[in-house]
């Protein structure tokens, strides 16, 4: 039975250690991801960092080794290319038969519409499709953990709307970047809801969280004006990323959350997401489209005829 405990304290912490637990973390080279990597290292976790820039990732690895004695492993992948995500997942599965925690922290928003080489609007691909693909392809080793946890770093921006399933690439609408960002986070949150149901009865939980208003580099792909505003006002308006890192550590380490799944948190406090995220028929549509666009659906171009050993655990719960 999944617990229905309500956690209302946004600054809730845990003294639980993560010694011997393997944590896969994306987006660890700056902002919330870096703060999370530092907190996980402090808690004794073994880290696999998935990053786009090898140079930045090497710098983070050196920092963690110097301060905490952590020997983090690196896997390089650009979420603008789904082939990179598949390759990263294959590498991780080959190296690590058991994964205890997966934290999808990588994300962006951009003020201009851009289409990836996979044919998807970039915000939607990086924020949703890439994390969805990585999560599903890592389910096999996660399901072998005594108590696997998946955390999607989401956003209150899922309330911005913008998700139109017949126009995910904004071809028939004017591109409005807050709504494009909202669409990506809404889709992510809806697949969290669906996957939590599919994982019922297993030893794996999946939750999502809004990390608070935090000063990060997420606007690096945006226009000059937005970058200028963030650079000059983030010290006044935004929290230190360490606050979010502490909350993420709590959500992935606290013993009292071992059976909590399918929930949405604001920092460490359980919260109510937008009602649309619980519309079962729409969630099922988003799930099916996500499978199709990531090549995980049997009918997708390039989908494997037979699931590999790494994918066996995932495919057993996908239908």
């Amino acid at each position: 039975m999944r617990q229905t405990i309500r956690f209302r304290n946004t600054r809730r912490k845990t003294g639980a250690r993560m010694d011997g637990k393997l944590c896969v973390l994306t987006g660890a080279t700056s902002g919330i991801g870096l703060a999370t990597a530092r907190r996980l290292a402090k808690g004794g976790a073994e880290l696999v960092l998935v990053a786009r820039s090898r140079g930045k990732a090497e710098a983070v690895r050196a920092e963690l080794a110097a301060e905490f004695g952590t020997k983090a492993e690196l896997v390089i992948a650009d979420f603008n290319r789904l082939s990179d995500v598949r390759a990263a997942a294959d590498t991780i599965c080959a190296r690590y038969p058991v994964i205890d925690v997966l934290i999808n922290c990588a994300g962006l928003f951009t003020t201009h519409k851009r289409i990836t080489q996979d044919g998807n609007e970039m915000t939607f691909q990086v924020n949703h499709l890439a994390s969805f693909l990585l999560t599903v392809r890592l389910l096999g080793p996660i399901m072998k953990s005594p108590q696997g946890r998946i955390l999607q770093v989401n956003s209150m921006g899922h309330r911005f709307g913008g998700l139109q399933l017949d126009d995910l690439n904004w071809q028939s609408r004017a591109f409005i970047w807050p709504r494009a960002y909202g669409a990506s986070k809404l889709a992510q949150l809806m697949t969290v809801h669906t996957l939590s149901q599919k994982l019922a009865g297993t030893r794996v939980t999946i939750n999502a969280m809004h990390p608070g208003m935090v000063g990060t580099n997420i606007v690096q792909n945006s226009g000059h004006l937005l970058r200028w505003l963030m650079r000059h006002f983030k010290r006044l308006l935004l929290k230190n990323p360490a606050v979010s890192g502490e909350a993420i550590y709590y959500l992935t380490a606290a013993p009292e959350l071992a059976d909590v799944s399918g929930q949405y948190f604001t920092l460490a406090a359980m919260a109510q997401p937008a009602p649309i995220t619980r519309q079962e028929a729409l969630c099922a549509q988003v799930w099916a489209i996500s499978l199709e666009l990531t090549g995980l659906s049997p009918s997708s171009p390039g989908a494997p005829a037979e699931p590999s050993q790494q994918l066996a655990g995932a495919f057993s719960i996908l239908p």
Side-chain angles (χ1 to χ4, degrees):
M1 290 289 292
R2 301 296 194 192
Q3 296 184 40
T4 57
I5 303 171
R6 296 292 172 183
F7 300 89
R8 302 185 184 279
N9 181 1
T10 61
R11 295 298 183 95
R12 188 182 293 266
K13 298 181 181 182
T14 181
R17 298 278 301 172
M18 298 187 76
D19 301 282
K21 291 190 176 183
L22 183 72
C23 300
V24 177
L25 171 65
T26 73
T29 57
S30 65
I32 295 168
L34 176 57
T36 300
R38 290 177 55 81
R39 184 61 184 90
L40 290 168
K42 181 180 178 181
E46 299 175 13
L47 297 179
V48 177
L49 308 180
V50 182
R52 181 177 61 175
S53 167
R54 180 172 294 278
K56 291 181 179 180
E58 292 283 5
V60 172
R61 174 159 65 177
E63 176 183 335
L64 298 178
E67 187 166 350
F68 303 105
T70 302
K71 296 181 179 179
E73 298 296 327
L74 305 182
V75 177
I76 306 305
D78 186 340
F79 281 13
N80 280 304
R81 295 189 293 268
L82 293 180
S83 59
D84 274 23
V85 181
R86 295 185 189 96
D90 288 345
T91 297
I92 294 169
C93 287
R95 292 179 183 174
Y96 309 101
V98 179
I99 296 171
D100 297 291
V101 176
L102 169 62
I103 303 169
N104 282 302
C105 199
L108 62 77
F109 62 75
T110 175
T111 51
H112 305 288
K113 186 177 83 169
R114 303 176 187 179
I115 303 298
T116 69
Q117 65 183 36
D118 297 290
N120 306 305
E121 190 276 312
M122 187 168 71
T123 313
F124 193 79
Q125 176 165 316
V126 172
N127 290 355
H128 169 53
L129 294 177
S131 64
F132 178 83
L133 176 58
L134 185 66
T135 297
V136 172
R137 290 183 73 100
L138 294 185
L139 277 178
I142 295 173
M143 293 176 74
K144 294 178 183 177
S145 171
Q147 203 274 293
R149 300 193 194 190
I150 303 167
L151 183 67
Q152 305 285 38
V153 178
N154 196 259
S155 171
M156 65 176 292
H158 79 273
R159 302 180 190 276
F160 298 164
L163 184 63
Q164 187 171 317
L165 298 185
D166 61 355
D167 189 26
L168 292 175
N169 285 348
W170 298 81
Q171 294 176 321
S172 62
R173 300 174 286 168
F175 183 79
I176 303 173
W177 63 263
R179 289 174 61 79
Y181 179 77
S184 68
K185 291 301 183 179
L186 180 56
Q188 183 185 62
L189 200 49
M190 295 175 89
T191 55
V192 166
H193 175 67
T194 300
L195 186 53
S196 71
Q197 295 177 326
K198 293 180 177 295
L199 289 168
T202 73
R203 295 175 296 183
V204 179
T205 63
I206 180 169
N207 293 293
M209 65 94 77
H210 167 55
M213 299 300 291
V214 178
T216 71
N217 293 326
I218 195 171
V219 299
Q220 62 185 329
N221 292 287
S222 301
H224 295 295
L225 177 59
L226 185 57
R227 294 203 305 270
W228 184 89
L229 288 171
M230 289 293 288
R231 186 166 61 250
H232 287 81
F233 290 98
K234 70 180 183 180
R235 289 186 180 180
L236 296 176
L237 302 176
L238 304 178
K239 295 182 177 68
N240 188 310
V243 174
S244 300
E246 189 68 51
I248 290 171
Y249 186 83
Y250 172 75
L251 295 176
T252 54
E256 62 266 31
L257 289 171
D259 294 317
V260 175
S261 190
Q263 299 300 319
Y264 174 74
F265 291 80
T266 294
L267 291 174
M270 195 175 290
Q272 289 297 322
I276 192 174
T277 65
R278 298 298 187 259
Q279 292 184 13
E280 299 295 342
L282 188 56
C283 285
Q285 286 183 275
V286 172
W287 177 264
I289 289 172
S290 300
L291 291 177
E292 186 73 24
L293 292 177
T294 54
L296 290 167
S297 170
S299 61
S300 301
E306 296 292 338
S308 65
Q309 183 177 1
Q310 292 96 332
L311 285 173
F315 274 82
S316 68
I317 67 164
L318 286 184

